[in-house]
């Protein structure tokens, strides 16, 4: 169990007078159990509940899932079985009706260590795939290579986008199709392991003449977001810096063409940055900004620490350049 999470949840329950609380959503199940997974279908919970009281935590499960969950996901919790054909409803308040997101946002030291390991592995997986890619591959072939690298490291790709030259300039969420990669391609990953999600984007050029210049432009927008991501700043304030960055590039309309990111953790975006969003950054929160232009996008997962931002998805094998004093990924060529 994640004892820090359990303490936060019990304090929250006490403040509301809840004698028991039921947890089922995958992001909360993973958070509370220290990385346990109660899914079979991606990001959909199986019919199992954690029942939390001030003194106990019990698992309610069908016989189908009980043994696996107890042996591999939740440790030695007491298990209450029910028939697979008659799943019960939560007999009290639950995370189906109460949002626990604010309790998850500041990550414990143990969660931060898990995140660092995930970030390194996710970056290596995506980097290896793109370095190995061939311009004659289809987008589906590259997506398959990325998925293989991720799963070999125990990472579930909950989002996997790939675009070749033809579609990269047209779509911001390019689900892989059969198009040839051509001279420029992009891979986008939201990879989940032990509940946490690493978010990152990389581009590979096979001689595209505009690739590096476009990447430099989008990195200028991102630099404003990273500089503004300080403890005490609100997500809305950081977003305003991103919007100003697009104006400085002479393309203010691009702000409207894709969301710009926000807080991450047990969901790819725990809190999406929207105009005026009041959530304030704190040490221990994770962020993923993702400004984009037609043909360009930059994204990594950062941890906000006492000394500033730590890039959790840094790949030492990927070419980098300094942008406003910070190493940011170039478009890989070669």
């Amino acid at each position: 169990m994640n004892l820090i999470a359990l303490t936060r949840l019990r304090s929250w329950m006490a403040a509301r007078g809840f004698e028991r609380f039921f947890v089922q959503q995958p992001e909360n199940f993973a958070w509370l159990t220290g990385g346990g997974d109660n899914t079979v279908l991606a990001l959909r919970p199986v019919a199992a509940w954690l029942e939390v009281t001030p003194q106990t935590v019990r698992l309610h499960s069908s016989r189908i899932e009980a043994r696996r969950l107890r042996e591999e996901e939740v440790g030695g919790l007491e298990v209450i079985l029910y028939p697979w054909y008659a799943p019960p409803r939560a007999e009290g308040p639950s995370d189906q009706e109460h949002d626990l997101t604010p309790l998850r946002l500041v990550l414990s030291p143990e969660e931060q260590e898990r995140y660092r390991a995930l970030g390194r592995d996710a970056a290596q997986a995506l980097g290896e795939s793109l370095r190995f890619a061939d311009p004659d591959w289809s987008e589906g072939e590259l997506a398959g290579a990325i998925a293989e690298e991720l799963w070999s490291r125990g990472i579930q790709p909950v989002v996997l986008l790939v675009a070749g030259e033809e579609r990269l300039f047209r779509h911001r969420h390019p689900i892989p199709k059969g198009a040839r990669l051509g001279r420029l391609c992009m891979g986008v990953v939201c990879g989940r392991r032990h509940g946490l999600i690493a978010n990152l984007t990389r581009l590979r050029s096979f001689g595209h003449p505009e690739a590096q210049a476009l990447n430099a432009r989008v990195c200028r927008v991102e630099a404003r977001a990273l500089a503004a991501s300080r403890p005490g700043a609100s997500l809305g304030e950081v977003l305003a810096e991103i919007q100003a960055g697009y104006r400085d590039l002479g393309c203010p309309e691009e702000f409207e063409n894709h969301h710009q990111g926000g807080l991450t953790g047990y969901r790819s975006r725990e809190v999406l940055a929207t105009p005026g969003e009041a959530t304030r950054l704190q040490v221990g929160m994770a962020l993923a900004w993702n400004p984009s232009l037609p043909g360009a996008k930059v994204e990594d997962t950062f941890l906000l620490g006492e000394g500033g931002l730590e890039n959790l998805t840094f790949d030492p094998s990927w070419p980098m350049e300094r942008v406003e004093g910070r190493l940011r990924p170039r478009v890989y060529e070669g």
Side-chain angles (χ1 to χ4, degrees):
M1 298 297 292
N2 180 343
L3 296 182
I4 291 178
L6 186 58
T7 298
R8 287 182 194 167
L9 179 59
R10 283 174 168 158
S11 295
W12 179 88
M13 290 167 56
R16 287 156 181 79
F18 294 158
E19 287 299 318
R20 65 186 66 246
F21 191 82
F22 291 86
V23 170
Q24 186 183 54
Q25 294 303 310
E27 60 271 21
N28 295 323
F29 191 97
W31 169 66
L32 196 58
T33 59
D37 191 349
N38 69 330
T39 68
V40 175
L41 183 64
L43 299 185
R44 293 284 299 275
V46 296
W49 296 88
L50 291 172
E51 178 191 359
V52 181
T53 73
Q55 294 81 32
T56 63
V57 180
R58 302 191 297 178
L59 175 70
H60 296 252
S61 175
S62 70
R63 195 176 300 275
I64 298 172
E65 306 296 343
R67 183 171 181 175
R68 176 183 67 84
L69 291 174
R70 186 170 185 180
E71 289 182 358
E72 299 179 350
E73 309 297 345
V74 301
L77 292 184
E78 177 188 355
V79 178
I80 300 172
L81 294 174
Y82 58 80
W84 59 263
Y85 48 83
R89 301 182 65 179
E91 297 179 358
S94 75
D95 64 351
Q96 300 279 21
E97 54 186 324
H98 295 277
D99 183 13
L100 301 184
T101 302
L103 303 183
R104 297 193 307 266
L105 294 180
V106 176
L107 302 169
S108 69
E110 187 273 335
E111 289 171 307
Q112 293 177 29
E113 284 304 308
R114 281 197 279 125
Y115 225 155
R116 289 185 179 97
L118 166 62
R120 287 192 298 268
D121 287 352
Q124 290 171 5
L126 183 56
E128 281 294 307
S129 304
L130 285 170
R131 283 189 289 268
F132 188 70
D134 185 278
D136 287 327
W137 281 9
S138 70
E139 294 172 350
E141 286 175 306
L142 178 54
I146 295 170
E148 180 179 5
E149 290 290 341
L150 289 167
W151 277 116
S152 72
R153 294 165 171 82
I155 301 172
Q156 177 190 27
V158 296
V159 174
L160 177 50
L161 305 177
V162 172
E165 180 180 5
E166 178 186 350
R167 298 175 66 238
L168 179 55
F169 288 83
R170 296 168 56 197
H171 305 303
R172 299 297 167 97
H173 282 164
I175 296 171
K177 299 291 185 180
R180 178 175 172 271
L181 295 183
R183 296 177 298 171
L184 184 63
C185 63
M186 175 181 73
V188 180
V189 164
C190 299
R192 181 175 184 261
R193 188 172 69 191
H194 305 311
L196 294 166
I197 298 178
N199 314 272
L200 66 158
T201 297
R202 298 289 185 267
L203 284 92
R204 168 77 192 270
S205 170
F206 301 95
H208 194 284
E210 298 180 82
Q212 297 296 354
L214 287 169
N215 187 70
R217 283 168 60 82
V218 80
C219 282
R220 285 166 54 191
V221 178
E222 185 206 38
R224 296 188 68 141
L226 298 179
S229 297
R230 300 182 298 270
S234 73
L235 287 180
E237 290 168 348
V238 180
L239 188 66
E241 288 295 316
I242 294 175
Q243 191 168 18
Y246 285 112
R247 288 198 301 268
D248 288 349
L249 291 184
C251 52
E253 71 282 356
E254 294 300 339
F255 177 79
E256 304 291 338
N257 290 332
H258 191 247
H259 76 77
Q260 307 301 316
L263 293 174
T264 186
Y266 286 92
R267 293 183 297 183
S268 60
R269 295 298 183 269
E270 292 276 32
V271 182
L272 187 68
T274 56
E277 170 58 50
T279 301
R280 295 203 173 272
L281 302 183
Q282 299 178 52
V283 169
M285 289 181 171
L287 304 106
W289 301 111
N290 51 262
S292 63
L293 296 168
K297 181 168 175 271
V298 63
E299 179 183 23
D300 276 296
T301 300
F302 291 88
L303 178 67
L304 183 56
E306 296 285 356
L309 292 174
E310 174 188 352
N311 187 351
L312 301 181
T313 47
F314 178 79
D315 180 358
S317 300
W318 194 265
M320 297 281 178
E321 64 181 337
R322 288 201 174 272
V323 180
E324 301 296 328
R326 196 185 308 272
L327 287 175
R328 302 306 298 128
R330 291 174 57 84
V331 178
Y332 185 88
E333 295 183 298

